[in-house]
Amino acid sequence: MGRKFLLESDPKPLMEKCLRNSLTRRRGPLRPAEGVALKRLPDNSYKAKDNTKWHSEPNSTMPPIMKIDQFDNAGPTMSVIGCSTPAEVFAKFLPDALLAEVVVHTNDKIINLRNKCKQQNDPTFKDLILMDFRAFLGILIMTGARKDNHLTSEEVSSKSQGFPFYKSVISEHHFCFIQRAPRFDSIATREERVKTDRFAAIRSLWDQVIANCIANYEPSGHLTVDEQLLAFRGGVLSGCTSRINQQSKYGIKLVMACDADPCYMCNAIPYLGKGTTTTSTPLGEYFTMELTRPFRKTGRIVTTDNRFHSLPLARGLRQFGMHLVGTIRPKPYTPSLMLTTPLGFGECVASYNYEDKVTLLCQRVKTTKRIHILSTVHHNPTVTENQ
């Protein structure tokens, strides 16, 4: 009767107790939803090794969090919205004029390959027209969409196992022949251009496609900058390839700026080794500044990891009307007092730079590991669970 009376009169205490016990067993002690205040350093102001001045208290003249403008027009531009079919959208990125130029250079390669064949009159080795090349691209796109790109050409074109669509579009022998032939520049002038640009074999097509990616989409207020390695072992771009030691795979490293919401690639730059840049600017800062160049003076937030993030980069983006958030490695401008302050598991400590209007956060995530986050957006932060 007593338990029944408790449930009927005031069930809230019992429900809260049950919920608290279940959450404690699963996820440890509960944390306040409004966030845990950061640990304060003992000194009011202190300097790093490079004499960068930091403070233990936030700047009272700055708002806790910078308000970011709403980008209501984020998404495809009007030229893409007006398209009614996927083919029309595809043409916005790879127009027929650009594909026709590729067909011309590809036919030059086909002539060289055909001269080495005994049956030169075989239709398999004929010159391409624009429709043939579009069909070839359609096959590649369809194999990716159907997850068939790991199969061999024999398996794809098999009558018993393959998808009938592939066989109806192009024969296996013709597809394999075209696969050897695509060229995107003039072979006659490539040798001279490669001396100044390792990416010369595909530079013209690359620049036009990236320009179309920028023109056909308006990103939201949050951009991310990171790198991706595309598997590639071809000889044409051998001077641009990088290697992952852990997996022993080769590929072309691309550094991209993407819209954080739909993961759309807004801009990209290939890594070309020593020829990537002629300036003494660190590569992380160079890539981020170049990738965000089309979006300056817009107030967008750029998120990077410690391979790109730095205090000079935060200063540079601020000059061009953009914000920066991301993890950072300990640098000479990192205050030593922050590095030596004892922290418990999950505890955080913050330092504030009034001059550059940045906040540096340090949190202990493991017994021997701390992460540092530099932000030009948050000026009086609190730490909440999973944020």
Side-chain angles (χ1 to χ4, degrees):
M1 292 295 294
R3 185 174 183 179
K4 184 177 180 181
F5 177 78
L6 176 63
L7 291 176
E8 290 179 352
S9 62
D10 190 8
K12 187 175 181 181
L14 181 60
M15 295 174 61
E16 290 181 349
K17 182 178 179 180
C18 295
L19 179 61
R20 183 164 58 252
N21 291 339
S22 63
L23 291 177
T24 302
R25 286 194 300 269
R26 294 181 181 179
R27 305 168 64 179
L30 292 176
R31 300 181 181 181
E34 63 271 10
V36 179
L38 305 181
K39 186 176 181 180
R40 302 297 183 185
L41 293 175
D43 298 338
N44 293 330
S45 62
Y46 37 89
K47 292 185 179 181
K49 291 183 179 179
D50 64 346
N51 293 325
T52 302
K53 190 174 182 180
W54 298 87
H55 301 267
S56 59
E57 296 293 335
N59 190 350
S60 58
T61 62
M62 299 292 296
I65 299 179
M66 297 293 295
K67 292 184 178 180
I68 307 302
D69 297 335
Q70 297 295 327
F71 293 85
D72 298 331
N73 297 327
T77 58
M78 293 303 299
S79 61
V80 178
I81 295 177
C83 298
S84 58
T85 63
E88 294 179 359
V89 177
F90 181 81
K92 294 297 181 179
F93 296 89
L94 285 174
D96 289 345
L98 185 59
L99 294 180
E101 183 179 353
V102 176
V103 169
V104 171
H105 300 311
T106 300
N107 285 334
D108 293 339
K109 179 63 177 180
I110 288 178
I111 294 175
N112 295 333
L113 295 175
R114 187 168 54 220
N115 293 334
K116 300 177 182 179
C117 299
K118 296 181 180 179
Q119 301 176 350
Q120 297 186 6
N121 295 327
D122 193 324
T124 302
F125 311 128
K126 66 179 181 179
D127 289 351
L128 294 183
I129 60 176
L130 182 59
M131 183 179 298
D132 295 334
F133 193 71
R134 290 174 63 90
F136 172 74
L137 293 180
I139 292 292
L140 296 180
I141 295 174
M142 182 61 73
T143 55
R146 290 180 49 84
K147 309 298 182 184
D148 293 336
N149 48 0
H150 64 284
L151 302 177
T152 62
S153 59
E154 292 83 0
E155 294 172 333
V156 169
S157 304
S158 174
K159 294 183 179 180
S160 59
Q161 300 177 358
F163 186 49
F165 168 80
Y166 303 130
K167 193 73 175 179
S168 63
V169 174
I170 193 172
S171 67
E172 176 191 351
H173 294 292
H174 195 197
F175 176 81
C176 294
F177 178 75
I178 298 177
Q179 201 171 18
R180 300 169 54 191
R183 293 297 183 271
F184 309 99
D185 70 325
S186 176
I187 302 178
T189 60
R190 179 187 299 168
E191 185 177 357
E192 186 67 25
R193 289 182 286 110
V194 168
K195 295 179 181 179
T196 57
D197 183 10
R198 294 184 178 183
F199 213 58
I202 198 174
R203 175 63 70 181
S204 178
L205 175 69
W206 173 268
D207 289 343
Q208 295 183 59
V209 170
I210 294 299
N212 292 336
C213 290
I214 297 174
N216 293 328
Y217 186 84
E218 183 70 21
S220 64
H222 296 268
L223 300 175
T224 59
V225 175
D226 206 346
E227 59 186 23
Q228 178 182 4
L229 189 100
L230 301 179
F232 180 77
R233 293 182 68 95
V236 177
L237 301 176
S238 58
C240 308
T241 55
S242 304
R243 180 177 179 180
I244 299 179
N245 295 328
Q246 296 178 354
Q247 302 178 1
S248 297
K249 292 183 179 180
Y250 290 85
I252 298 178
K253 183 187 295 186
L254 301 179
V255 185
M256 296 179 287
C258 301
D259 190 346
D261 294 332
C263 304
Y264 175 87
M265 188 195 74
C266 302
N267 199 358
I269 298 177
Y271 173 74
L272 307 178
K274 294 181 179 179
T276 303
T277 176
T278 57
T279 64
S280 58
T281 306
L283 283 178
E285 183 178 349
Y286 166 78
F287 280 126
T288 307
M289 294 297 292
E290 289 298 319
L291 290 172
T292 57
R293 184 181 294 274
F295 315 108
R296 293 177 177 177
K297 303 296 183 180
T298 59
R300 288 184 169 90
I301 299 177
V302 182
T303 303
T304 65
D305 60 8
N306 54 24
R307 287 170 291 185
F308 302 90
H309 209 337
S310 65
L311 182 58
L313 175 60
R315 294 168 179 164
L317 287 179
R318 181 178 289 278
Q319 293 179 358
F320 293 104
M322 302 187 73
H323 301 282
L324 185 65
V325 179
T327 57
I328 190 173
R329 297 170 182 170
K331 298 289 185 179
Y333 45 79
T334 305
S336 57
L337 184 60
M338 174 179 287
L339 301 176
T340 58
T341 299
L343 296 175
F345 179 77
E347 287 188 340
C348 303
V349 63
S351 296
Y352 307 91
N353 188 321
Y354 295 172
E355 181 180 358
D356 297 320
K357 300 179 182 179
V358 299
T359 299
L360 180 61
L361 178 73
C362 177
Q363 181 178 17
R364 180 183 175 186
V365 294
K366 293 183 180 179
T367 305
T368 58
K369 182 179 180 181
R370 300 185 179 192
I371 62 171
H372 299 81
I373 300 176
L374 187 69
S375 173
T376 62
V377 179
H378 309 85
H379 301 289
N380 189 11
T382 59
V383 179
T384 58
E385 192 171 5
N386 296 331
Q387 296 186 12

